[in-house]
Amino acid sequence: MLVNMTMLVNMERAAGPDAERWLGLTAIDGPVLELRPDYTALVIVAEDLRPGPSDQATDALLADAEAAARAALAGRAAAELAQVDAWRAAYQAFGAKPKRTRPSVEALLRRVEAGLPRIDRLTDIYNAMSVKHLLPVGGEDLGEYRGPARLVRAAGDEPFDTIRDGQPVTEHPEPGEVVWRDDAGVTCRCWNWRQCVRTRITGATVRAVFILDGLAALGDGGLVAAGQDLVSQLAALHPGARLSCRLIGAGAATGAGPNAPGDGY
């Protein structure tokens, strides 16, 4: 389901035709949905963004998210939350060890008590949404993509560019690992664990893609609420931004995300 974000927030500008075509080609392979039939991705494209260092507005977003996360945790470990436990089970289903390769939302929640990192105006926004809404959220530079994004189970020979010991290296996913990829290689390993260097958001990013990962444990309307919040923050902090989105997976038939009412989008 391809959806214009003006259906979620009151904005005048939708993403351009190239972004719409890119969204239309974004896909989830059948073997991934066989692994987790309750999975839905909400993919948001944002254009005409205003990158830059962290500022007072994004610091406030992160502070609010930290407070919400502390209330949700109520002194418990992140892994005890149902939303996090579901992702640990998803990782275990394709052979990953979640204590070694933690789902991104768990990794962020473990840093809440000490304070989340302040990175830049774009990364801060999606990290805040992840912690506040208890789901994995990733952001990447759309201008660095080579072809559409596809969520697949890896063959094991796909290139993944990363940094090890301060030096650029090329790694490869494990066979059967769930990865996001484009025509040039893996963009994110273990579903939402680690992003590649090539597509990471930088101070020059003006076209970005944000991927929100939803499982049934997120609850009724949870994916929709997170998407609405992210779009609202992008629109407020990046006046003139053009945004569009697409739901893919279990919730795409209704347009509402995992277990959500069918009139959400």
Side-chain angles (χ1 to χ4, degrees):
M1 174 176 285
L2 187 60
V3 190
N4 192 296
M5 269 299 175
T6 55
M7 299 177 69
L8 292 185
V9 294
N10 184 22
M11 295 188 305
E12 297 180 357
R13 306 179 69 202
D18 288 345
E20 297 282 357
R21 284 192 291 271
W22 187 89
L23 278 170
L25 293 171
T26 300
I28 300 172
D29 274 7
V32 176
L33 291 176
E34 291 172 6
L35 193 71
R36 288 297 306 212
D38 61 335
Y39 174 69
T40 305
L42 173 55
V43 185
I44 300 171
V45 165
E47 300 181 295
D48 298 338
L49 295 169
R50 301 182 182 184
S54 302
D55 56 22
Q56 186 175 3
T58 61
D59 179 73
L61 275 181
L62 286 166
D64 288 345
E66 289 164 349
R70 290 188 188 102
L73 289 166
R76 296 172 292 174
E80 296 180 58
L81 296 178
Q83 298 90 332
V84 175
D85 184 61
W87 275 108
R88 290 169 67 92
Y91 273 40
Q92 290 168 337
F94 62 83
K97 296 178 172 59
K99 287 186 177 180
R100 183 172 64 87
T101 53
R102 299 185 190 278
S104 66
V105 63
E106 180 181 359
L108 284 174
L109 286 168
R110 287 167 60 90
R111 303 184 69 172
V112 162
E113 198 56 42
L116 294 170
R118 272 59 173 168
I119 299 173
D120 59 60
R121 295 188 78 238
L122 291 173
T123 305
D124 290 355
I125 292 174
Y126 76 77
N127 278 346
M129 297 302 99
S130 176
V131 167
K132 178 180 177 181
H133 294 277
L134 304 178
L135 81 164
V137 182
E140 297 172 286
D141 191 320
L142 185 58
E144 297 301 322
Y145 261 79
R146 302 295 177 262
R150 305 183 303 277
L151 188 65
V152 305
R153 299 200 67 179
D157 58 355
E158 301 90 341
F160 174 77
D161 67 303
T162 187
I163 300 293
R164 185 191 305 154
D165 299 326
Q167 299 298 318
V169 296
T170 298
E171 298 179 346
H172 302 279
E174 296 294 327
E177 182 180 323
V178 176
V179 300
W180 282 100
R181 64 160 301 166
D182 65 3
D183 293 345
V186 174
T187 56
C188 190
R189 287 194 59 184
C190 287
W191 222 317
N192 47 56
W193 169 55
R194 179 177 294 172
Q195 296 170 316
C196 75
V197 172
R198 171 171 55 91
T199 60
R200 68 183 175 186
I201 284 175
T202 71
T205 299
V206 294
R207 299 175 69 234
V209 55
F210 301 93
I211 299 176
L212 292 74
D213 293 318
L215 297 175
L218 191 59
D220 290 352
L223 187 59
V224 170
Q228 289 174 325
D229 202 356
L230 177 56
V231 167
S232 295
Q233 299 302 335
L234 288 170
L237 298 182
H238 299 262
R242 298 182 293 164
L243 299 109
S244 292
C245 80
R246 185 180 177 202
L247 275 173
I248 318 171
T254 63
N259 294 333
D263 59 356
Y265 279 73

